[in-house]
Amino acid sequence: MEDRRSLRELSRSDALRLLASVAVGRVVFTQRALPAIRPVNHVVTDGLVVFGTHDDSAVSAEVGRARGIVIAYEADEIDVASRTGWSVVVTGLATRVGESALADRYRQLLHPWVGTPNHVITLQPRLVTGFRLVPDLPPAALSAPRPTS
């Protein structure tokens, strides 16, 4: 029997909930007119995706050049053995949070792998897409009566 999978689209709220359940994702931005991708750790709070950067990071330099730039952020959780999982992409405007109590609060929420971040960047989600990879159920399983309690 063939072991098939289907992609099921996630709602915005489910996608953001799944994104909040993992600590690491990939920020996608433009560097010298070319796409660039960097892994970073993040938190989802206040309706934003928040991550930290250091002075010498490429994404920090790009976001710092303007009052905000459009970036994408992707995270996933894939089980290779069962061939199931999910992937979420958030696209929106990234801005640096100025030195403030808010920036300090975000730094406390983050758990960076390399030192304390010099800068805090927020991503305001505009477009949120996500998919869950699930096993296909045989037609009989879809129409089988559910047990009652």
Side-chain angles (χ1 to χ4, degrees), residues 35-68:
I37 302 170
R38 300 288 188 275
V40 296
N41 71 306
H42 69 272
V43 294
V44 177
T45 186
D46 303 333
L48 304 167
V49 179
V50 179
F51 59 94
T53 64
H54 296 281
D55 284 332
D56 60 349
S57 77
V59 68
S60 182
E62 293 300 322
V63 172
R65 286 194 211 322
R67 290 222 144 135

Side-chain angles (χ1 to χ4, degrees), residues 81-149:
S82 69
R83 296 174 32 208
T84 59
W86 57 266
S87 177
V88 170
V89 177
V90 175
T91 305
L93 189 64
T95 56
R96 269 196 202 168
V97 178
E99 290 306 312
S100 63
L102 181 61
D104 290 340
R105 182 171 82 77
Y106 288 155
R107 279 188 187 96
Q108 289 177 349
L109 295 173
L110 292 166
H111 299 285
W113 292 3
V114 180
T116 302
N118 301 97
H119 306 285
V120 174
I121 296 175
T122 61
L123 169 58
Q124 173 66 54
R126 301 280 196 225
L127 177 61
V128 178
T129 58
F131 293 90
R132 186 181 291 277
L133 183 61
V134 296
D136 272 346
L137 296 176
L142 294 173
S143 61
R146 293 187 177 154
T148 57
S149 46

